[in-house]
Each structure stands twice: as structure tokens, then as C-alpha cells.
């Protein structure tokens, strides 16, 4: 079975680990979000690709869900001692090595997809991990900074990098718009459209619907490719009990006018794209609303408390895909 998964960071990576357990013989291609990518200290950092690679490759910091296990921060401390920032983005010593190798290869002319493949030679994630595009796409968030007078730009409306919004500001001000800058001119990376066309099923893990899956779908050709593939497309809700399980997805959902409920996210994807949707058992009351929108829906436990729980979710998603296919 050939499975294509569109993945962000933590939610995508943990689900993928469950999927590998649930379908060990499947051929899994992961299309990774690169809208969160950022240049720091002259290095290209790809947080979502790395979270998938480290999680599936056994190098992740389990408690945190991102970054390396057994990490130290000497390099960052030294940079801070020189007054060189930003200090709000956590980059550990082990993690730095990944970004150095990536940046070196990019500077030598390799596309990001080839670089990602090379990094995966070490981590052996057991899936084929492809960035959504080799072209630079950067998610920006329009905000009005609080008028505190504390900094020269307070009170100003401006667009900031997604990481600045998410990590530095911790989504503390409303997101007025979310824009994947560069997406319109971008092309899917080599292998992305081919994998979609050859897939038996396409899965949307419980990743952020706006800044992870939404950004991937913004690359011209990907949404159309999925809709036209004629295979079951099944998603799992990242919203449980009207709130994101982790993080601040509600803030970016508000920016695109979508309420923070499992049903609203399904409707946001729409029946033109999505065939099946899993909501958590606490949201069983929304099954009817999702089905009324033309999307087959089931309520099952959706908390990835451990690997077994994630594997059960993956099995449910594949079962729903079979139901859709048989319908
Ligand atoms: P990010 O790039 O690290 O933010 O990760 P993703 O976009 O892949 O996933 C973030 C989303 O995963 C958040 O909106 C969370 O609500 C969701 N999430 C995290 N853990 C769980 C879980 O155990 N169950 C469900 N249903 N969603 C989860
Ligand atoms: Ca992310």
C-alpha cells in the first residue's frame, strides 16, 4: 500500500510513528511543510522536516517534541555572550550540526529535496521525506504589535516571520492574516506530484490546518493533485474539545475565519478535498455536522498519549479510507 501524508512538525511526526507501527509494510511518502523554515546565524533551519526526521529516526527530545535528545546549548550561550541573537529560538549544539550540513549542501547547489534525502541517510526515518517544494516559501503573519511604546515598532501593523509570531510572541497578539510568501510562484519538489498520483490513500495527520497542511496545499499543484488523484483522503482532527491539543492553532484558525472546532476544520478543508474525517470521542456530537458537509466522519480516541495510541489512530484512519473506497 502506498500512503502519502502531508505533515507539519510534532502532530505529524507523532502520527507518522503510529502509522509505521500500524502499517509496517506500507510505502509511506511524507510531504513536509517548509513554510516554517527560517535563516538563523547564516544557517537554514527547517523545523518541521527535522521534527519528522528526528522523531522517526529516534533522535527527538521526547518531552519537548522538537529538537534533539541529550542536547546541550553551549554554542547558543557563546553567541549570546557576543550579543548575537536571536535568543528566542532554541538551537542546541547537536541540532546545529544538521543546519550546518544542510546549509553547506544548499550553498554547494543541491536542492532542499536532495539535502533532505542526504540527511535522512543518517536518520533512516523509514519513510520517504520530501519537502513540499525546493523553492523558498516563508509563512508570514500580519499582526498589530501592542502599543506599549517599549520598542520603536509598537502599535504598528506589520508582517512578521511565522517563527517570530509563534516562538517569540507565543501567539500573544491576534494573527490578522497568514500568508505563505513565495508559495504562488513555487513548484512542488520533485517526486511530490508523482507520489500523490501513485498513492492508494492520502492522510492529513493532526497537523496544524493553517500553517502546516494549509501551507503545503498552497503550493500550486498539490491541492489539485490530491483532489484529482481519485483516492481516499482522510484527515484526523488536531482540535479536540474545541481547543488544539498542543500549541496555539486556534490563533491561526481565527486568522482564516475558522472556528476552533473539529467540525469547522473539516468544513474548511471541504468535501472537494476531504473524503473522511476522524474527530475525538469527546467531539462525537459533531459527527453529524461533518457528514452533512459530505465528509464521512467517525469519533475515535485521538490523543497520542503513546505510540500504541498513535498506532490505533492510524489504523482507524486506514479503516475509514477503506470504507470511503468501498462506498
Ligand atoms: P508543529 O509544526 O510542531 O506545530 O506540528 P503540526 O502542525 O504537525 O501539529 C500541530 C498540531 O498537532 C496542533 O494543532 C495540535 O493540536 C496537534 N496535536 C498534537 N498532539 C496531538 C494529539 O495527541 N492528538 C491530536 N488530535 N492532535 C494533536
Ligand atoms: Ca511547524
Amino acid at each position: 500500500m502506498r500512503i502519502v501524508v502531508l505533515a507539519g512538525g510534532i502532530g505529524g511526526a507523532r502520527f507518522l510513528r503510529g502509522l509505521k507501527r500500524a502499517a509496517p509494510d506500507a510505502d509511506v511518502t511524507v510531504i513536509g511543510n517548509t513554510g516554517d523554515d527560517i535563516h538563523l546565524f547564516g544557517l537554514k533551519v527547517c523545523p518541521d522536516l527535522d521534527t519528522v526526521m528526528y522523531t522517526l529516526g529516534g533522535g527527538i527530545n521526547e518531552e519537548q517534541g522538537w529538537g534533539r535528545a541529550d542536547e546541550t546549548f553551549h554554542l547558543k550561550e557563546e553567541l549570546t555572550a557576543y550579543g548575537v541573537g536571536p535568543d528566542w529560538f532554541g538551537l542546541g549544539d547537536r541540532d546545529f550540526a544538521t543546519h550546518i550540513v544542510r546549509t553547506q549542501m544548499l550553498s554547494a547547489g543541491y536542492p532542499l529535496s536532495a539535502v533532505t534525502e542526504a540527511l535522512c541517510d543518517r536518520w533512516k526515518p523509514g519513510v520517504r521525506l520530501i519537502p513540499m517544494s525546493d523553492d523558498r516559501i516563508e509563512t508570514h503573519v500580519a499582526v498589530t504589535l501592542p502599543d506599549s511604546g517599549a520598542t520603536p515598532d509598537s502599535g504598528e501593523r506589520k508582517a512578521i516571520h511565522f517563527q517570530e509570531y509563534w516562538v517569540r510572541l507565543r501567539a500573544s497578539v491576534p494573527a490578522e492574516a497568514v500568508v505563505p510568501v513565495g508559495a504562488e510562484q513555487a513548484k512542488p519538489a520533485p517526486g511530490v506530484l508523482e507520489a500523490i498520483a501513485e498513492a492508494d490513500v492520502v492522510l492529513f495527520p493532526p497537523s496544524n490546518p493553517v500553517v502546516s497542511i494549509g501551507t503545503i496545499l498552497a503550493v500550486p499543484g498539490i491541492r489539485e493533485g490530491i483532489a484529482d488523484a481519485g483516492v481516499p483522503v482522510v484527515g484526523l482532527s488536531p482540535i479536540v474539545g474545541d481547543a488544539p491539543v498542543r500549541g496555539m492553532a486556534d490563533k491561526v484558525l481565527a486568522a482564516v475565519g475558522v472556528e476552533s472546532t473539529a467540525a469547522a476544520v473539516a468544513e474548511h478543508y471541504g468535501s472537494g478535498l476531504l473524503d473522511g474525517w476522524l474527530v475525538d470521542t469527546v467531539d462525537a456530537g459533531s459527527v453529524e455536522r461533518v457528514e452533512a458537509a459530505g465528509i464521512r466522519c467517525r469519533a475515535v480516541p485521538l490523543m497520542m498519549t503513546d505510540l500504541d495510541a498513535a498506532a490505533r489512530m492510524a489504523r482507524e484512519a486506514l479503516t475509514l479510507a477503506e470504507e470511503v473506497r468501498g462506498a
Side-chain angles (χ1 to χ4, degrees):
M1 183 170 40
R2 282 163 300 195
I3 305 174
V4 166
V5 182
L6 310 193
I10 300 180
R14 290 192 172 158
F15 174 77
L16 282 163
R17 205 154 54 172
L19 179 65
K20 277 177 61 191
R21 160 78 66 94
D25 300 327
D27 172 352
V28 180
T29 299
V30 179
I31 300 172
N33 173 42
T34 57
D36 296 15
D37 294 6
I38 184 166
H39 285 81
L40 295 168
F41 313 109
L43 300 175
K44 167 93 162 172
V45 179
C46 301
D48 285 358
L49 295 179
D50 289 348
T51 295
V52 169
M53 187 172 79
Y54 294 155
T55 302
L56 297 183
I60 199 78
N61 178 324
E62 289 291 342
E63 298 75 50
Q64 219 169 236
W66 54 270
R68 291 289 314 279
D70 303 318
E71 189 58 288
T72 52
F73 290 87
H74 302 298
L75 190 39
K76 197 174 167 219
E77 283 161 26
E78 291 298 313
L79 288 164
T80 304
Y82 283 111
V84 173
D87 59 1
W88 47 264
F89 200 89
L91 285 183
D93 300 327
R94 293 182 190 279
D95 200 19
F96 258 111
T98 303
H99 313 313
I100 291 170
V101 174
R102 172 184 293 124
T103 306
Q104 260 184 344
M105 287 190 71
L106 289 169
S107 309
Y110 291 96
L112 183 63
S113 49
V115 175
T116 304
E117 198 179 332
L119 294 171
C120 285
D121 272 347
R122 169 181 175 195
W123 290 102
K124 309 210 174 343
V127 299
R128 179 161 179 232
L129 175 61
I130 319 180
M132 63 193 197
S133 178
D134 280 332
D135 301 322
R136 182 163 167 177
I137 297 162
E138 242 176 46
T139 303
H140 286 195
V141 180
V143 294
T144 302
L145 296 172
D147 196 1
S148 62
T151 54
D153 56 2
S154 53
E156 219 177 279
R157 185 169 199 263
K158 59 187 249 178
I160 56 177
H161 191 286
F162 170 73
Q163 297 295 358
E164 200 178 347
Y165 180 70
W166 207 247
V167 182
R168 184 169 81 84
L169 298 178
R170 304 217 46 81
S172 56
V173 292
E176 293 162 17
V178 177
V179 184
V181 177
E184 271 174 35
Q185 300 81 39
K187 288 189 300 293
V192 166
L193 296 181
E194 293 78 354
I196 292 169
E198 290 163 7
D200 298 307
V201 50
V202 176
L203 299 178
F204 295 177
S207 279
N208 190 306
V210 181
V211 293
S212 293
I213 296 180
T215 310
I216 300 171
L217 292 171
V219 177
I222 295 188
R223 176 188 289 273
E224 299 77 1
I226 293 171
D228 295 347
V231 298
V233 180
V234 170
L236 299 92
S237 179
I239 305 292
V240 171
D242 300 346
V245 176
R246 267 179 85 114
M248 306 149 292
D250 49 323
K251 296 295 168 61
V252 286
L253 280 166
V256 295
V258 177
E259 68 184 23
S260 237
T261 65
V265 173
E267 289 167 355
H268 170 64
Y269 287 130
S271 60
L273 186 64
L274 206 57
D275 303 301
W277 186 240
L278 293 177
V279 300
D280 188 83
T281 43
V282 303
D283 297 312
S286 61
V287 169
E288 220 173 300
R289 173 174 158 192
V290 176
E291 297 222 310
I295 299 162
R296 198 173 278 252
C297 185
R298 297 285 173 272
V300 300
L302 287 190
M303 298 299 278
M304 296 187 280
T305 44
D306 56 24
L307 178 53
D308 284 338
R312 280 193 293 274
M313 284 164 56
R315 269 182 220 110
E316 293 285 0
L318 294 174
T319 302
L320 185 53
E322 283 316 308
E323 259 186 67
V324 166
R325 199 192 312 279

